Amino acid sequence: MNYRGPQRVRVSQKPMPEIKHPEDAIVRVTRSCICGSDLHLYNGNVPDTRVGTTFGHEFIGIVEEIGPEVHKLKVGDHVIVPFNISCGKCHFCRQGLYGNCHESNPQATAVGGIFGYSHTAGGFDGGQAEFVRVPYANVGPTVIPPGMDPDDAVLLTDVVPTGYQAAEMGGIQPGDTVVVFGAGPVGIMAARCSWLFGAGRVIVIDQYEYRLEFVRNYAPCEAYNFREMDDPVVFIKKATDWMGADVVIDAVGAEAAGSPLQTITGRKTLIQAGSATALHWAINSVKKGGIVSIVGVYGPTDNLVPIGNVVNKGLTLRANQASVKRLLPRLIEHVQNGVLNPKAMITHRVPLEDAADAYRIFSDKLDNCIKPVLIPPSARI
Ligand SMILES: NC(=O)c1ccc[n+]([C@@H]2O[C@H](COP(=O)([O-])OP(=O)(O)OC[C@H]3O[C@@H](n4cnc5c(N)ncnc54)[C@H](O)[C@@H]3O)[C@@H](O)[C@H]2O)c1
Ligand SMILES: [Zn+2]
Ligand SMILES: [Zn+2]
């Protein structure tokens, strides 16, 4: 599956990936997902997304070949591969900031390498493919525990850790009211995980009724449609005794809908790096002294955000790409104990060959799609 230009992806034959470094592994993919982050690439909004690049940062697979310095894996292991590529040794990896590795992405000093996420994130081919090269194979890949459903395992590569970290960065105190913007897989998981940190009330905002209905039952939580509100900020203030929410999570990112000004400047003319509508709403609807936790993805250049309100309200903003490796041991346990049930979010199982259809369905939110998983031919028998 590779990029041809905005809203165009195609499945084609590419050369088999090879071991290029002694710590590389080649993995035969058994499942890969399409993520909201892939839509930023798909829509041509991520700088230096080159034609021919294979997308896919959420995948699991079987180790096919290992380099001479790979000691933690053996051929035949079925592994969860975190979406971040991390060296495990640099200043940032040593602090558990595996999404900010200083070694894996020569093109930038902000984000580390990410599979299938443009040359801005290192130029690595991704896992929406039959085979993928996995660098630093002693660091990221984690063997799927016996008995774990591969559909749960593939969601541990990104969505579960991202949703969990969104709640964690919110610094939720017992009884807090948490508002989550976005009822995609990330927002759904953030809402679910907010309870694990002691939230007393969880409210999710989106525009698609089928997603609101799903999260209402799954999280469970209150869920409302911003298309039916005059002003989402006033709505949240009213729902919280005019105080604002204790914690607000932005699980939407740079392709937010809901503000014509943001949409024109951020999505049509690209004067700013995407539309910051949900972030705007988050800053304005959190209470004074509150925390805004941002996992929605924004571009490396600038956005229109009400920074004056951040200052004058005394807010804390926390944000990052999820640190998948740091969170995996705890989240594997939560899945094994039934505390989290990620595979319930998978609505579409699509042959890898039909990836272009899956992109269209997920991008246009057709057929009540929440999370599509792509299955390569060798994993279907
Ligand atoms: N930080 C990380 O590590 C990380 C990891 C994965 C995904 N992400 C990001 O998280 C975001 C969500 O991913 P996803 O897979 O759930 O995507 P998705 O496209 O399935 O869901 C996004 C949802 O946001 C809703 N939305 C749009 N504008 C809104 C607004 N103004 N207010 C409230 N909701 C609004 C959409 O209707 C949609 O349901 C994306 O930006 C993605 O790039 C970040
Ligand atoms: Zn993702
Ligand atoms: Zn590192």
Side-chain angles (χ1 to χ4, degrees):
M1 197 303 304
N2 62 83
Y3 183 66
R4 311 310 302 172
Q7 284 102 39
R8 281 170 56 223
V9 292
R10 179 163 84 197
V11 174
S12 56
Q13 208 68 37
K14 285 177 76 168
M16 179 75 183
E18 288 171 2
I19 303 268
K20 290 188 183 163
H21 183 278
E23 282 179 82
D24 284 353
I26 304 298
V27 167
R28 180 166 60 80
V29 177
T30 52
R31 297 273 188 290
S32 64
C33 289
I34 304 177
C35 173
S37 300
D38 291 322
L39 298 181
H40 311 317
L41 296 166
Y42 181 66
N43 291 326
N45 290 337
V46 179
D48 210 359
T49 304
R50 300 187 191 171
V51 168
T53 304
T54 302
F55 294 170
H57 57 273
E58 304 184 0
F59 61 93
I60 56 171
I62 294 169
V63 177
E64 182 85 4
E65 195 185 341
I66 52 174
E69 283 175 29
V70 176
H71 312 297
K72 298 232 173 105
L73 296 179
K74 54 183 193 320
V75 169
D77 282 346
H78 200 181
V79 289
I80 297 169
V81 182
F83 78 85
N84 341 88
I85 301 174
S86 6
C87 76
K89 293 186 186 132
C90 73
H91 177 77
F92 300 100
C93 285
R94 284 204 312 271
Q95 291 178 55
L97 291 166
Y98 293 105
N100 312 97
C101 176
H102 212 49
E103 295 294 330
S104 60
N105 181 8
Q107 348 294 339
T109 52
V111 73
I114 300 177
F115 289 100
Y117 213 72
S118 85
H119 278 68
T120 316
F124 297 93
D125 264 344
Q128 289 165 8
E130 294 184 273
F131 294 93
V132 58
R133 177 173 82 93
V134 175
Y136 304 111
N138 288 317
V139 181
T142 302
V143 176
I144 301 176
M148 180 177 280
D149 189 320
D151 287 349
D152 280 326
V154 73
L155 294 171
L156 284 165
T157 62
D158 179 343
V159 170
V160 180
T162 302
Y164 186 91
Q165 187 169 318
E168 180 188 57
M169 290 191 302
I172 299 168
Q173 300 297 309
D176 272 359
T177 295
V178 179
V179 168
V180 181
F181 284 104
V186 171
I188 292 168
M189 194 45 74
R192 172 91 190 116
C193 291
S194 293
W195 298 114
L196 304 181
F197 291 89
R201 186 179 180 196
V202 180
I203 302 171
V204 174
I205 310 283
D206 200 288
Q207 59 187 332
Y208 295 112
E209 280 304 328
Y210 76 91
R211 289 184 163 203
L212 293 169
E213 188 55 32
F214 181 89
V215 74
R216 222 173 258 136
N217 296 315
Y218 180 86
C221 65
E222 298 167 54
Y224 304 103
N225 193 331
F226 69 78
R227 299 276 180 202
E228 291 165 5
M229 300 169 189
D230 288 336
D231 180 345
V233 173
V234 174
F235 178 89
I236 290 164
K237 289 216 174 137
K238 206 167 170 181
T240 54
D241 255 344
W242 300 101
M243 293 294 275
D246 299 293
V247 175
V248 181
I249 294 170
D250 172 354
V252 179
E255 290 187 86
S259 155
L261 174 72
Q262 291 274 359
T263 302
I264 288 166
T265 54
R267 295 175 62 192
K268 307 261 190 273
T269 60
L270 300 186
I271 290 170
Q272 56 164 336
S275 54
T277 308
L279 180 54
H280 214 104
W281 291 347
I283 289 169
N284 288 346
S285 60
V286 73
K287 79 174 185 193
K288 288 186 263 188
I291 300 179
V292 176
S293 165
I294 311 166
V295 285
V297 160
Y298 291 89
T301 45
D302 302 350
N303 275 101
L304 289 171
V305 295
I307 194 69
N309 292 354
V310 175
V311 176
N312 292 326
K313 290 173 78 172
L315 304 185
T316 301
L317 303 188
R318 296 197 65 198
N320 209 344
Q321 299 282 346
S323 183
V324 178
K325 181 181 160 66
R326 175 177 67 81
L327 294 169
L328 262 185
R330 187 179 319 166
L331 295 175
I332 285 174
E333 236 174 72
H334 281 340
V335 171
Q336 283 176 319
N337 297 339
V339 172
L340 296 174
N341 172 19
K343 69 170 182 283
M345 290 190 295
I346 294 178
T347 49
H348 290 68
R349 306 168 66 76
V350 182
L352 175 65
E353 305 88 292
D354 298 333
D357 293 335
Y359 265 86
R360 196 175 47 84
I361 291 169
F362 181 60
S363 173
D364 295 346
K365 312 294 186 243
L366 304 175
D367 196 26
N368 291 351
C369 185
I370 293 177
K371 190 74 175 171
V373 63
L374 302 173
I375 310 180
S378 70
R380 294 207 293 272
I381 27 165

